[in-house]
């Protein structure tokens, strides 16, 4: 059994049209959301922020800032493996990155972007009507959302479609109503 955490970057700033997408920072709401989610990840019983055996992340500015602020709020500075392939990756690429993990850590947290993270959840968790959390993700996996999937595999190399069960899902608005959706979320 393996555990996969999925953490989408917090709300980013679109105000400076001169910036490349990769270089967009978090906006004010994103900075608040990253901190709220960092505390939640720390307090959630399955794994704390540093308890994840491996954290793989996109090196995009909005992801690095999300992790930094989440870590500060949690009072922890986790070690990160930055992987450029995660930046705007689709589900197939994310699965490939996970399958390549050596040492077979029992848990990995993946921090990145949509639509890849959302699609990864859809690919790993069966659409059989038995998981109401999956239905919530079908509605939306918003910025700074955090999900945990239990995987019925012994080795990361064995990662396959429909091998997971979504056991936890929290969105920033679930913890702070002021972080609720708006038209740009």
């Amino acid at each position: 059994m393996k555990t996969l955490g999925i953490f989408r970057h917090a709300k980013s700033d679109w105000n400076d049209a001169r910036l490349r997408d990769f270089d967009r920072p978090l906006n004010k709401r994103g900075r608040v959301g990253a901190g709220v989610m960092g505390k939640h990840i720390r307090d959630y019983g399955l794994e704390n922020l540093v308890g994840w055996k491996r954290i793989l992340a996109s090196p995009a500015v909005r992801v690095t800032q999300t992790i930094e602020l989440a870590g500060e709020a949690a009072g922890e500075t986790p070690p990160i493996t930055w992987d450029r392939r995660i930046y705007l990756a689709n589900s197939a690429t994310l699965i490939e990155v996970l399958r390549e993990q050596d040492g077979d850590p029992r848990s990995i947290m993946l921090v990145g972007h949509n639509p890849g993270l959302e699609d990864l959840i859809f690919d790993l968790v069966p659409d059989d009507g038995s998981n109401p959390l999956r239905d919530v993700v079908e509605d939306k996996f918003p910025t700074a959302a955090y999900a945990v999937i239990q995987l019925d595999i012994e080795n990361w190399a064995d990662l396959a479609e429909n091998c997971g069960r979504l056991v936890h899902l929290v969105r920033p608005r679930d913890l702070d109503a002021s972080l609720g959706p708006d038209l740009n979320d």
Side-chain angles (χ1 to χ4, degrees), residues 28-162:
K28 181 179 178 183
R29 182 172 150 201
R31 290 189 299 275
V32 172
V36 167
M37 295 308 292
K39 289 177 186 173
H40 172 75
I41 294 168
R42 177 197 64 206
D43 295 342
Y44 179 63
L46 184 65
E47 301 279 354
N48 61 36
L49 201 54
V50 209
W52 288 94
K53 297 305 179 190
R54 188 166 297 161
I55 298 177
L56 306 173
S58 161
V61 170
R62 58 193 179 272
V63 174
T64 63
Q65 289 181 337
T66 297
I67 293 171
E68 178 183 325
L69 292 166
E72 285 175 10
E76 304 167 338
T77 306
I80 311 294
T81 299
W82 305 103
D83 190 328
R84 179 89 178 186
R85 295 175 298 168
I86 297 170
Y87 172 65
L88 302 181
N90 62 25
S91 177
T93 299
L94 295 173
I95 288 173
E96 179 181 315
V97 167
L98 290 166
R99 284 179 179 157
E100 292 173 0
Q101 296 307 301
D102 59 353
D104 271 320
R106 69 178 169 79
S107 61
I108 294 176
M109 183 190 292
L110 193 57
V111 189
H113 313 267
N114 257 1
L117 293 178
E118 184 175 292
D119 290 342
L120 180 63
I121 293 170
F122 297 148
D123 287 345
L124 296 178
V125 179
D127 185 14
D128 59 9
S130 68
N131 195 319
L133 294 177
R134 189 184 190 285
D135 296 338
V136 174
V137 174
E138 282 194 28
D139 182 46
K140 186 170 211 168
F141 191 66
T143 52
Y146 170 68
V148 177
I149 301 174
Q150 292 290 329
L151 301 165
D152 190 20
I153 57 173
E154 292 300 317
N155 302 296
W156 288 100
D158 300 329
L159 189 63
E161 289 190 12
N162 297 319

Side-chain angles (χ1 to χ4, degrees), residues 2-22:
K2 301 289 186 190
T3 303
L4 176 63
I6 298 176
F7 187 22
R8 183 176 173 202
H9 68 79
K11 189 85 173 142
S12 60
D13 190 347
W14 288 88
N15 289 331
D16 189 346
R18 296 169 298 156
L19 289 177
R20 296 180 311 153
D21 179 74
F22 187 88

